[in-house]
């Protein structure tokens, strides 16, 4: 058996490539937690997860103090068993963000190993539905940008062939949000999808009012209108508007997605592979979405999500936010508005080890 002989974890801080703001926060840096798992047949799998500025050291401590020591001597092929054993070892802190982020770093390393050993790319080994998936851009839609910049960003994305753009909403007046979306729609016409994202900033009443104002502009989905634990509020909002409600970036277990879908509280799921605990649970969410006949548009991490969205039938979009260019040696290829999943064995991310070493903090 390919026995795990050594494991390690470290933290890399990646500066943001541009100013990024939404209704509740600014994205100041990406704390990127890496795990490397080496087996006795000479292979090494690299996995990672992230935070957007806080908690990275806590995730690293969870890995070093509790999870990684449990891996040595185990069969690296037993990905499902390893995930469950690690989860069970942290019952006192599950379900929770720190534990899920730590599990994801391990799980993605094990999937990297699985793909390397099989000689297959992730998109094929995880399902193999198709290799290229539509892309929408978020980088030109941040909340602090004036309306003219939103329009320019949307037109640039359209000119580049991307299939959609996301605009952050949550301005003090609902009418201002509607005016900004209307200006973008007028500029790009009906052929470009427009998504909006409130980042959990609204009450049900506020979100319902904004949804009513936005409906005439053909919004593709309304993302995180309410706090993520307000399942009932999302259910009522979904019943009150024709705009599909999207949730998931702030959910940390498969069970949370089940509750939303079973209650009709979401039409789009946005499972984040790092926050839900890795590729193993992410695929369960993807198949759950398919069973409920809803689409999957994951949050962030385009370099990894491209392969996962390509793997499953429910995958609809990859979100374009470049954030790993400082530590990788290749760009994500985009052709005719579609991101193309890497066709090399493993996760397919071309890490720049020297750059990672330069930005390593722990």
């Amino acid at each position: 058996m390919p026995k795990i002989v050594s494991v390690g974890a470290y933290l890399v801080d990646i500066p943001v490539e541009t100013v990024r703001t939404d209704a509740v926060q600014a994205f100041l840096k990406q704390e990127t937690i890496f795990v490397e798992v080496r087996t006795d047949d000479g292979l090494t799998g690299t996995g990672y997860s992230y935070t957007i500025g806080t908690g990275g050291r806590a995730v690293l401590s969870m890995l070093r103090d509790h999870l990684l020591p449990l891996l040595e001597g185990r069969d690296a092929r037993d990905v499902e068993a390893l995930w469950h054993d690690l989860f069970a070892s942290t019952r006192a802190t599950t379900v929770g963000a720190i534990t899920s982020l730590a599990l994801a770093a391990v799980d993605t390393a094990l999937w990297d190993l699985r793909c390397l050993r099989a000689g297959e790319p992730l998109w094929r080994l995880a399902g193999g539905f198709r290799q290229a998936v539509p892309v929408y851009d978020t980088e030109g839609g941040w909340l602090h940008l004036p309306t003219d910049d939103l329009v320019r960003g949307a037109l640039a994305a359209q000119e580049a062939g991307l299939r959609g753009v996301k605009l952050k909403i949550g301005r003090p007046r609902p009418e201002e949000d509607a005016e900004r979306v209307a200006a973008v729609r007028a500029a790009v016409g009906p052929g470009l999808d427009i998504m909006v994202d409130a980042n959990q900033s609204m009450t049900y009443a506020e979100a319902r009012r904004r949804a009513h104002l936005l409906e005439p502009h053909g919004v593709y989905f309304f993302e995180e209108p309410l706090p993520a634990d307000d399942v009932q509020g999302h259910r009522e909002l979904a019943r009150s508007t024709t705009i599909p409600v999207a949730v998931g970036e702030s959910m940390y277990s498969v069970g949370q997605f089940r509750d939303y879908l079973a209650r009709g509280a979401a039409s789009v799921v946005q499972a984040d592979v790092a926050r839900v605990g890795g590729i193993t649970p992410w695929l369960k969410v993807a198949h759950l979405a398919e069973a409920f006949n809803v689409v999957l548009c994951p949050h962030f991490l385009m370099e990894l999500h491209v392969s996962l969205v390509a793997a499953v039938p429910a995958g609809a979009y990859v979100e374009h936010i470049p954030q790993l260019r400082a530590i990788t040696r290749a760009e994500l290829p985009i052709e005719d508005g579609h991101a193309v999943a890497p066709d090399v064995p493993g996760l397919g991310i071309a890490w720049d080890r020297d750059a990672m070493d330069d930005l390593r903090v722990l």
Side-chain angles (χ1 to χ4, degrees), residues 18 70 105 182 227 282 333:
T18 187
L70 302 176
W282 191 96

Side-chain angles (χ1 to χ4, degrees), residues 311-344:
V312 298
Y317 262 117
V318 168
E319 182 176 21
H320 182 259
I321 305 179
Q323 183 50 35
L324 291 183
R325 287 193 285 210
I327 59 168
T328 53
R329 293 183 281 102
E331 294 274 343
L332 178 67
I334 298 176
E335 301 173 2
D336 190 29
H338 288 67
V340 181
D343 212 21
V344 298

Side-chain angles (χ1 to χ4, degrees), residues 58-142:
V59 177
L60 187 65
S61 294
M62 172 66 80
L63 286 162
R64 288 176 171 176
D65 296 343
H66 301 288
L67 298 183
L68 298 189
L70 302 176
L71 292 173
E72 290 195 28
R74 297 291 299 271
D75 189 330
R77 296 172 299 180
D78 298 339
V79 176
E80 189 80 49
L82 289 168
W83 193 96
H84 278 267
D85 288 349
L86 294 181
F87 182 86
S89 76
T90 58
R91 287 289 183 188
T93 60
T94 55
V95 170
I98 299 301
T99 298
S100 289
L101 291 165
L103 287 169
V106 174
D107 190 66
T108 51
L110 293 173
W111 271 90
D112 192 32
L113 274 173
R114 171 181 276 182
C115 295
L116 290 170
R117 183 167 292 108
E120 293 283 3
L122 176 61
W123 75 268
R124 181 168 285 121
L125 207 59
F129 188 67
R130 74 312 212 180
Q131 190 176 359
V133 294
V135 182
Y136 74 85
D137 182 65
T138 295
E139 203 74 310
W142 302 108

Side-chain angles (χ1 to χ4, degrees), residues 1-5 39-41 43 73-77 117:
M1 70 176 185
K3 184 172 69 174
I4 296 172
V5 294
T39 53
D40 61 1
D41 56 0
L43 293 177
R74 297 291 299 271
D75 189 330
R77 296 172 299 180
R117 183 167 292 108

